[in-house]
Amino acid sequence: NAGVTQTPKFRVLKTGQSMTLLCAQDMNHEYMYWYRQDPGMGLRLIHYSVGEGTTAKGEVPDGYNVSRLKKQNFLLGLESAAPSQTSVYFCASSAWGEQYFGPGTRLTVT
Amino acid sequence: AQTVTQSQPEMSVQEAETVTLSCTYDTSESDYYLFWYKQPPSRQMILVIRQEAYKQQNATENRFSVNFQKAAKSFSLKISDSQLGDAAMYFCACADGLTFGKGTHLIIQP
């Protein structure tokens, strides 16, 4: 039972490049989330999904897109990366109000 | 919109003593969950304790307990017999974790 996994763990992008972060969970959870964590800011919700085929905006959605084509996967895309998107990104899934977090992805945009 | 406030950016406690971390929140939900998460330097988010708002009894997990005051919208975490391994960032979160506080950095003095 792997829980929540994230790919990749680290990435460096140049401004304007695009990339996709993959989150996968094997717990059959309906709810999945993408957060970013910046120093002194805690975790801020980017987008979330309440089930396969659904997505919704969180607190800081600008510059990001998401897709939930399969229940177990939640993808976060950056179409044109900016230095302000340098952050640690966490994925989580939840059931019965309890969230399970992935190990995080450290993204640096230069 | 939900808001979560942690008013203590940093706390320090002597090993084996007791420390209380504060959290206040605001939500329009009538039924919700509250959480405390621990984030050690490894970056992994670890659930410490969960409280269901409809339950009046305060949740307890070994050395960790909460003081849940629903009317005051207060949800503090008490750590008894502090250990060196308790040193970490602690985040309070409301509902399904959609809103996190900015965190409290807990330092354990040996």
Side-chain angles (χ1 to χ4, degrees):
Chain A
N1 187 342
V4 180
T5 58
Q6 292 182 231
T7 308
K9 289 186 170 53
F10 302 93
R11 185 73 185 268
V12 178
L13 286 179
K14 293 185 178 180
T15 297
Q17 287 185 321
S18 63
M19 77 163 295
T20 300
L21 281 66
L22 171 63
C23 176
Q25 53 97 1
D26 60 3
M27 296 172 282
N28 203 36
H29 289 166
E30 293 290 341
Y31 286 66
M32 295 187 74
Y33 311 81
W34 276 108
Y35 295 91
R36 60 178 290 172
Q37 184 178 27
D38 302 295
M41 295 297 292
L43 275 75
R44 292 183 292 169
L45 183 65
I46 304 171
H47 286 279
Y48 65 100
S49 169
V50 300
E52 182 179 317
T54 74
T55 63
K57 294 180 180 180
E59 179 187 355
V60 289
D62 293 342
Y64 305 95
N65 57 75
V66 289
S67 64
R68 183 98 181 268
L69 299 179
K70 294 183 179 180
K71 187 177 184 179
Q72 64 268 34
N73 295 337
F74 194 29
L75 278 62
L76 178 70
L78 287 73
E79 291 187 349
S80 179
S84 61
Q85 294 177 305
T86 293
S87 188
V88 178
Y89 291 85
F90 285 95
C91 175
S93 67
S94 74
W96 299 107
E98 180 175 338
Q99 290 196 315
Y100 298 79
F101 283 86
T105 296
R106 182 176 292 280
L107 175 65
T108 302
V109 183
T110 61
Chain B
Q2 297 166 348
T3 58
V4 177
T5 302
Q6 293 179 248
S7 59
Q8 306 151 316
E10 187 172 279
M11 292 283 285
S12 181
V13 64
Q14 292 286 334
E15 191 177 5
E17 293 191 346
T18 296
V19 63
T20 298
L21 309 184
S22 301
C23 174
T24 58
Y25 64 94
D26 191 16
T27 179
S28 57
E29 303 280 342
S30 58
D31 192 16
Y32 49 90
Y33 293 97
L34 295 162
F35 308 89
W36 278 98
Y37 284 91
K38 170 185 177 181
Q39 187 181 41
S42 68
R43 205 170 66 193
Q44 181 68 47
M45 295 290 286
I46 302 165
L47 178 66
V48 174
I49 200 164
R50 177 176 72 172
Q51 174 80 41
E52 295 167 56
Y54 70 88
K55 290 187 177 179
Q56 293 186 344
Q57 186 174 7
N58 290 326
T60 299
E61 289 286 343
N62 301 313
R63 297 182 295 108
F64 299 87
S65 61
V66 299
N67 183 3
F68 174 47
Q69 303 289 331
K70 189 172 183 179
K73 294 185 176 176
S74 172
F75 182 60
S76 60
L77 174 69
K78 185 172 81 171
I79 306 174
S80 304
D81 185 25
S82 299
Q83 300 176 359
L84 294 177
D86 295 334
M89 286 292 294
Y90 285 80
F91 294 96
C92 178
C94 181
D96 282 337
L98 292 179
T99 306
F100 283 76
K102 294 185 178 181
T104 297
H105 181 210
L106 179 62
I107 299 168
I108 310 294
Q109 304 282 2

